[in-house]
Amino acid sequence: MSTARAYHHGNLRAALVDAGVQVVREHGAAGADAVALRDLARRVGVSHNAAYRHFADREELLGEIAGVGMTALTEAIAARLATLGEPDAVRAARLALREIGRGYVAFALADAGLFRLAFAAYPSLAGAPAMEPELEATVEASPFGQLNRALDALVEVGYLAPDARPGAEFTCWSLVHGLAMLFLEGPLQRLGPAERESIVEGALAAIDRGFGGTTGGAWPPLG
């Protein structure tokens, strides 16, 4: 069914966003550049003037589409976390961090256009300790919030030392985002799935070992 047929009176804004998501996915990594409000209006079967009554400009529309991408990434990671079912608290916390990393990179590779757009429009974390309530809620309901909660859980179960917790979220985020970008457009983009998986697993294992080392325990590998 085409997007135009899916449009119903009174829901034009949502229809335009849905059409924008479709365009981004169709064009992959270059998806954001392919989004034009006039073209989306044609897709949903309305005049471009009608479309401009819902969005002040293209940037506002891209922000809405980026929000869809961020929500999709958050839900993809949450789905992975929901399947863990590990009774041991320490292993559960370690596995959760690993699944967040796996899910992040997997989403980037599977939905490159939405992934790029989502982070192009990600709210600035400058001055994070003094965030406005609305921004704080946005961050908490994002992969960054999932990551922070996973790291806090590692501290709670005694795997990550409290004095090693500050800034750990940026170490983890830099690692998985850097790998995602290397696979998407860097010198690693020609690697096959098995090679990419090996690199991701090795990097996540190194992070896990490093965090366990902060408490000096003889922690077994996750396997």
Side-chain angles (χ1 to χ4, degrees):
M1 181 174 67
S2 71
T3 308
R5 295 195 193 100
Y7 165 61
H8 298 286
H9 179 69
N11 198 30
L12 178 54
R13 184 180 179 91
L16 290 167
V17 172
D18 289 345
V21 170
Q22 182 179 336
V23 168
V24 169
R25 284 178 162 154
E26 287 172 357
H27 289 80
D33 294 335
V35 174
L37 201 48
R38 182 182 293 269
D39 292 339
L40 296 185
R42 188 180 303 114
R43 280 191 178 227
V44 301
V46 299
S47 70
H48 67 274
N49 288 332
Y52 276 105
R53 285 197 290 270
H54 289 271
F55 293 98
D57 53 30
R58 179 174 177 274
E59 292 309 309
E60 183 182 353
L61 172 62
L62 287 176
E64 290 280 338
I65 299 170
V68 173
M70 189 61 69
T71 298
L73 172 55
T74 304
E75 291 176 348
I77 291 173
R80 285 174 170 265
L81 295 175
T83 64
L84 288 178
E86 171 58 55
D88 180 79
V90 176
R91 276 187 56 84
R94 294 169 66 191
L95 288 170
L97 183 66
R98 186 171 71 177
E99 284 306 310
I100 290 171
R102 286 173 169 174
Y104 191 99
V105 176
F107 182 89
L109 293 172
D111 215 334
L114 271 185
F115 176 80
R116 288 170 182 266
L117 183 55
F119 283 95
Y122 199 81
S124 172
L125 296 179
M131 284 189 291
E132 294 294 327
E134 184 176 348
L135 175 57
E136 186 174 1
T138 298
V139 172
E140 279 298 302
S142 74
F144 191 67
Q146 292 171 314
L147 173 59
N148 273 307
R149 289 189 289 276
L151 291 168
D152 290 343
L154 286 174
V155 174
E156 290 171 8
V157 299
Y159 190 77
L160 176 63
D163 61 0
R165 173 63 182 88
E169 64 272 28
F170 297 111
T171 299
C172 295
W173 194 5
S174 298
L175 175 74
V176 293
H177 193 80
L179 284 176
M181 297 310 296
L182 286 170
F183 293 148
L184 289 176
E185 64 183 28
L188 303 184
Q189 61 184 305
R190 294 179 181 271
L191 295 182
E195 294 170 301
R196 290 196 300 262
E197 180 181 357
S198 177
I199 291 172
V200 170
E201 293 302 310
L204 294 177
I207 285 286
D208 177 71
R209 288 194 302 271
F211 285 165
T214 65
T215 49
W219 307 105
L222 282 174

